[in-house]
Amino acid sequence: MSATRLPGTPRLLRALNDRAALELLLERGPLTRARLGELTGLSKVTASQLVERLEERGLVTRVGEQAGGRGPNAQLYAVRPGSAHVVGVDVGADRVVAACADITGAVNGRVEQSTRDTDDPVGVVHNAVVQAARSAGAELSTVRRVVLGTPGLVDPATGDITFAFNLPRWHRGLLAALREDLRIPVVFENDVNLAAVAEAQSGAAGGVPDFVLVWVGAGVGLAIVLGGRLHHGSTGAAGEIGYLPVPGVPIPRDVSRRAKPAFQQLAGADAVLAVAREHGFPAPDAAAAVRAAIDAGTAGGPMLDELARRLALGVASTCVVLDPPLVVLAGEVGQAGGAALAERVQHEVAAITLVRPRVVVTGLTEEPILRGALRTALDAVRDEVFGSTVG
């Protein structure tokens, strides 16, 4: 090692120790200085200096005392929630939902807005972000990142939206406009990808590094997680399973037009409603139709079998290429189908291919896209804040 690099070693060690201490406080806090020293392997003196350093930077705060034996009570420390905030936004065709979380992950504010009466996406996002922060009692200046989950393609190179079937006013150039308007780092991510992030964090894919999530709702989408990381593809189109050419339905030859793609025709919400009507389960929406079939017991079996056969074409096509150990069914229809539908899809995939992935229903029941947006934003902001603790 050259002499010119030696002076940086204590600085690097302090940064690593600070990061380790902050993560421990998030996971196990509040903690005393002595306990932090035990968990990090640092001496009492070094642990005390570390806490003082983090306290001076406004990253940790005293939150109470712990009674001990002889001598004064020990001070308890925790990460200061207000040191940074993030906002996650779930963008749908008719509404946006935004939530604000502090750096500990506590969600303290949430707003929902209709988008039916506006053609100004910048204004919609601006209002949602500002109101979410306000409802959380957070100054906008403390919001370090905004992550928006949207349907369609996000260009991995530029981060901009390149195609969103259900959001014709969301287009290239919008990312720059939002960043200029909010003066905050803004990131777009595909909504199904964010659902997979949430599923890996606290759902059915916890602890599984390789899996795919199949979203069945108004549309049909797929998220691919390999080695614990999302796979986007070279253009951001990885997972656009709705465009999978499948037999039995017309295959549009000009995807730039608003023609419904092949697998979407076969397994999307409209197709589910049609299958339900054929089997005697008319319903106001696809999820309700699936629930009606499940509630009907054996009488609903044929409908679920047909839906499973259709979904299995997409799942099997994905799995013979990626061979994941786990497939998660999510979205309104996937969630409504529960174990009854998941087991049928698993059986059908095994019957028509050489792969035998485990197929399970999502473990999340509320707002997985929003949860994934918040988690993505938190991971990035913690890296920024915790990685810059040494001046």
Side-chain angles (χ1 to χ4, degrees), residues 246-250 266:
V246 290
V249 293
L266 192 72

Side-chain angles (χ1 to χ4, degrees), residues 89-97 112-125 127-128 166-170:
V89 185
D90 178 4
V91 180
D94 300 318
R95 64 167 192 158
V96 297
V97 181
E112 185 173 330
Q113 293 184 347
S114 171
T115 59
R116 293 179 180 177
D117 300 325
T118 180
D119 59 358
D120 177 19
V122 173
V124 167
V125 174
N127 290 336
N166 294 329
L167 300 170
R169 297 183 184 89
W170 294 66

